[in-house]
Amino acid sequence: MTLIEPAASVPRKRRLSYALVLTPLLIGNALMLALCLLGFYVLSATRAYVGGESQWSKARAQAVKHLRAYAASGAPAQLQRFQQALQVPLGDRAARLELDKPAPDLRLATAAFERGGNAADDIPGMMRLYRWAGRSDLMRPSVQAWERGDAHIFRLQAMGEQLQQLHAQPGPPGEERLARIALLMFAIEELDNELLGLERQFSQALGEASRSTYLALALAIGLTALLLTLTAYALARSGLRRQARYETALEAANQRWSLAAQSDGLGLFEWQQRSDRVLLDARACAVYGLACGAEGLNLARSQLHAQVDPDDIPALELQLDQTLASAEPFFRHRFRIRVEGAARHVEVSGLMFRSAAKEDHRMVGVIKDVSARVHQAQLELEIAAAERSAAARMEFLSRLSHELRTPLNAVLGFSELMLLDRADALSPNQQRRVQLIGGAGRHLLRLVDDVLDISSIDSGHFSVERRPTPLAPVLASAAALVASEVQAHDIQLALEPPPASLSVLADEQRLGQVLANLLSNACKYNRHGGRVRVRTELQGDQVRIAIEDQGQGLTEAEQAQLFQPFKRLPATAHLSGTGLGLSIVKLLMEQMGGAVSVSSQPGAGSVFTLTLRAA
């Protein structure tokens, strides 16, 4: 005969099988949790006693130090510091004595432990551990060392009182009083050594108790874990095979999604309207700069909004409200967030899944960091604006040059004609004034040329032709250009001609301009009747051209400002110049792949060195 069970009994058997499987697991988990919590609590309390012992030891050392100082000097401040240091071990002793009572006052014990320098959060655990195991075999050696230490502290306190009586006696200390003080100091040393031994004994005993407690708890937790493992293995084995098929299919789908998301930097999110919480996957967490595991992160939407730029929050909330109010299921918005103080542009695209229940909708979508795209667009706009600005500046400077050169040439021409006119000759005063007009015009013309050179180099419209250039002819031409200045300042120009075969990679015209500028400065800022020396040296593949003068020299601060545009040093402000020559020299040398440097000392002249690559 076959008995067919009624359908109603199947759920009951299933519930019973679940209960039979889950009950041992729940009991085992509860037992393991209790053991773990107990172990953590005991070890934490033990750690607190170790910390208390450290405070006790430091206070003992301070007390001995101040008592020694008091014995030697009799200073009341040292005695006061000694008494203050004793408050730590005395406080711990008062707490222990209170806890030894059958019905201790925990408030008094807590206050005593606080006087002992123990952290307020550690004191409850210390009191419970002492009441539970203070007289057990595990903690008895530590407590006994504690008690002997307290007895020694009382002896130390008594020695302090004896020293106080000795120092309080009137009159200068005699030999008998000094002998008694010396005996007390010797006793203090012995007592200090004994206290050190008791501290080590306390620490060793407490460490042994900790190890024994750890081993017992570890064994109990290990047995419980083994039982749980065996039970869980039996339960899991039956479901693993069925679950493996689902995991294989799910893993294949996740791999396809991960490949697509990783290639485009997409992160997944899910928002529940009722709980107003957002679930982020690892890639979405990375976009927000949040730390999370492979399983993702579940947090309140307000936590994410805390990272959103305050200026973008109203538009974001408005877009979300409009999506919730309308029948449109798609949501897309771009906003800025702050990650470690830096702005990041984020784009969110989601699909709203609506529910019949009010305020029970949810949204699933993707998050993407579009900062690179936004920055690229901004960079393109900035480049275009910079190009327009450079073009406008170049056009302005070109027109300015044209507009200035025409009247300047007229001024210079008429001034020359007035000086050369013999029919209507000028008086000596008028000649000097016309010469000043001509000098000012030529100065202004040089300024226009220098500004155009700097602007052209800075905007990238200036180009040099770097090619092998013989150095000797260029030096000779530059020296010829400054011949009038050499003569005017009575300068002795010592030009050491380089070998005829020596060439450099440079633009011949611009190199001549650089050399002429430096030679002109060497004459202008030299002492009257001074000497200018030009040396050329080949070092490896580099050619160095040094121009030495015997001027007043430069300080380090002046050298640091030397190559700045329009920078005129106070000591040379009375001399003619635009303040652009050395700036143009530096820019031209950089354009030719070289460099310019200066070496100078006040009162010893200056050396300007050009460095170019040998051809």
Side-chain angles (χ1 to χ4, degrees):
M1 176 180 289
T2 302
L3 296 177
I4 302 177
E5 291 183 284
S9 65
V10 176
R12 286 198 297 270
K13 289 185 63 179
R14 186 176 297 158
R15 288 195 295 269
L16 179 61
S17 63
Y18 287 165
L20 292 175
V21 171
L22 293 178
T23 299
L25 293 178
L26 293 175
I27 294 175
N29 280 325
L31 178 60
M32 179 176 287
L33 179 61
L35 290 172
C36 291
L37 292 177
L38 177 62
F40 292 151
Y41 195 82
V42 171
L43 293 178
S44 176
T46 305
R47 174 200 55 76
Y49 273 104
V50 172
E53 188 274 335
S54 176
Q55 296 289 335
W56 198 95
S57 177
K58 291 178 182 178
R60 184 268 313 158
Q62 291 292 323
V64 171
K65 182 183 75 171
H66 293 308
L67 188 58
R68 289 174 184 155
Y70 178 66
S73 64
Q78 296 293 339
L79 178 62
Q80 185 178 4
R81 295 190 183 99
F82 162 72
Q83 293 170 346
Q84 290 176 349
L86 284 184
Q87 294 305 310
V88 172
L90 293 177
D92 289 341
R93 176 181 180 275
R96 176 175 57 77
L97 293 178
E98 185 64 32
L99 293 175
D100 283 337
K101 297 179 181 179
D105 188 336
L106 298 184
R107 288 181 297 178
L108 293 178
T110 298
F113 269 132
E114 288 178 347
R115 291 198 303 274
N118 298 283
D121 294 338
D122 292 338
I123 292 176
M126 295 173 67
M127 293 192 297
R128 291 192 182 94
L129 180 61
Y130 186 86
R131 296 180 66 190
W132 293 345
R135 297 302 173 184
S136 66
D137 293 338
L138 287 174
M139 288 194 63
R140 186 179 296 115
S142 299
V143 175
Q144 290 174 351
W146 187 359
E147 293 171 345
R148 290 195 295 273
D150 286 341
H152 283 58
I153 290 296
F154 270 115
R155 289 177 56 193
L156 189 66
Q157 190 177 26
M159 292 177 184
E161 294 173 354
Q162 295 176 24
L163 285 171
Q164 185 179 11
Q165 293 174 0
L166 289 174
H167 283 299
Q169 295 178 8
E175 294 183 358
E176 180 182 356
R177 193 194 308 178
L178 293 176
R180 292 179 62 186
I181 292 175
L183 288 175
L184 285 174
M185 292 182 69
F186 179 76
I188 290 171
E189 294 294 333
E190 291 186 342
L191 188 61
D192 187 36
N193 292 331
E194 293 177 7
L195 283 170
L196 284 173
L198 289 174
E199 290 172 7
R200 287 193 291 269
Q201 182 179 348
F202 177 85
S203 299
Q204 292 171 357
L206 195 61
E208 184 63 31
S210 299
R211 288 189 290 273
S212 300
T213 303
Y214 165 76
L215 292 175
L217 289 172
L219 179 61
I221 292 173
L223 292 176
T224 305
L226 178 61
L227 178 62
L228 285 174
T229 302
L230 294 176
T231 305
Y233 174 77
L235 175 65
R237 184 178 179 183
S238 62
L240 285 177
R241 295 193 182 103
R242 182 174 64 252
Q243 185 179 356
R245 294 193 298 269
Y246 298 137
E247 288 181 349
T248 301
L250 182 60
E251 184 178 359
N254 283 337
Q255 286 177 348
R256 291 191 295 271
W257 157 252
S258 297
L259 181 61
Q262 187 173 5
S263 63
D264 203 30
L266 299 177
L268 279 177
F269 78 92
E270 181 178 352
W271 171 62
Q272 297 285 347
Q273 184 183 10
R274 181 177 295 277
S275 61
D276 201 21
R277 299 186 68 83
V278 183
L279 175 63
L280 304 175
D281 71 350
R283 280 184 294 269
C285 291
V287 171
Y288 275 92
L290 302 174
C292 68
E295 69 279 1
L297 185 65
N298 191 326
L299 70 169
R301 186 164 62 97
S302 58
Q303 293 177 264
L304 286 181
H305 274 204
Q307 291 185 249
V308 178
D309 191 294
D311 294 337
D312 294 350
I313 289 179
L316 176 61
E317 293 290 347
L318 178 62
Q319 182 73 16
L320 181 60
D321 293 341
Q322 290 177 349
T323 304
L324 288 172
S326 65
E328 177 63 40
F330 297 105
F331 172 86
R332 174 172 292 182
H333 194 72
R334 181 181 295 180
F335 52 90
R336 294 167 296 174
I337 61 174
R338 290 283 174 180
V339 179
E340 297 179 354
R344 184 176 293 181
H345 295 263
V346 173
E347 186 175 80
V348 175
S349 300
L351 183 63
M352 186 74 70
F353 293 90
R354 305 185 185 279
S355 173
K358 188 177 181 181
E359 295 184 353
D360 200 19
H361 308 318
R362 68 188 183 95
M363 182 189 295
V364 177
V366 295
I367 299 174
K368 184 177 182 180
D369 183 0
V370 294
S371 300
R373 187 194 307 169
V374 173
H375 291 162
Q376 181 63 30
Q378 291 177 347
L379 181 60
E380 292 174 355
L381 291 175
E382 291 173 0
I383 291 175
E387 290 176 349
R388 291 193 300 270
S389 175
R393 182 175 60 182
M394 288 302 299
E395 183 179 0
F396 168 76
L397 290 175
S398 177
R399 292 185 178 180
L400 176 65
S401 173
H402 175 73
E403 296 297 332
L404 287 177
R405 283 177 185 274
T406 301
L408 278 176
N409 287 330
V411 170
L412 293 175
F414 280 117
S415 63
E416 291 292 335
L417 289 175
M418 291 175 70
L419 291 174
L420 296 175
D421 190 357
R422 300 299 181 184
D424 191 9
L426 301 176
S427 66
N429 286 336
Q430 289 174 333
Q431 288 182 0
R432 283 194 299 272
R433 292 166 185 169
V434 172
Q435 288 172 352
L436 290 175
I437 292 174
R442 285 188 293 273
H443 175 77
L444 184 56
L445 192 59
R446 286 195 300 271
L447 178 61
V448 171
D449 292 337
D450 290 345
V451 170
L452 283 175
D453 283 344
I454 289 181
S455 300
S456 298
I457 295 172
D458 185 53
S459 63
H461 291 80
F462 183 90
S463 62
V464 296
E465 184 179 356
R466 294 178 60 192
R467 61 182 179 182
T469 302
L471 189 55
V474 180
L475 278 172
S477 299
L481 289 174
V482 297
S484 60
E485 295 186 67
V486 170
Q487 183 179 3
H489 294 88
D490 194 17
I491 299 297
Q492 179 186 355
L493 178 59
L495 179 61
E496 300 178 5
S501 60
L502 183 59
S503 298
V504 293
L505 283 177
D507 186 298
E508 181 177 355
Q509 177 186 354
R510 296 304 178 179
L511 179 57
Q513 180 180 349
V514 168
L515 290 169
N517 193 305
L518 292 180
L519 287 173
S520 175
N521 285 350
C523 295
K524 185 189 308 181
Y525 301 114
N526 208 328
R527 61 181 176 83
H528 191 78
R531 184 169 179 265
V532 175
R533 182 185 178 193
V534 181
R535 294 181 293 106
T536 305
E537 183 181 6
L538 177 62
Q539 295 181 352
D541 63 344
Q542 301 288 324
V543 175
R544 301 184 185 277
I545 308 170
I547 300 175
E548 304 177 9
D549 64 54
Q550 295 179 336
Q552 64 181 1
L554 301 168
T555 64
E556 292 185 2
E558 290 173 337
Q559 294 176 45
Q561 303 174 5
L562 199 59
F563 295 98
Q564 299 178 15
F566 297 105
K567 190 66 178 180
R568 299 294 306 277
L569 301 180
T572 62
H574 63 285
L575 299 175
S576 62
T578 64
L580 293 174
L582 290 178
S583 301
I584 295 175
V585 166
K586 182 175 183 295
L587 293 174
L588 288 176
M589 289 300 296
E590 291 173 352
Q591 289 289 315
M592 292 186 291
V596 59
S597 61
V598 61
S599 174
S600 181
Q601 291 183 357
S606 304
V607 180
F608 286 83
T609 303
L610 302 177
T611 303
L612 288 166
R613 185 175 177 183

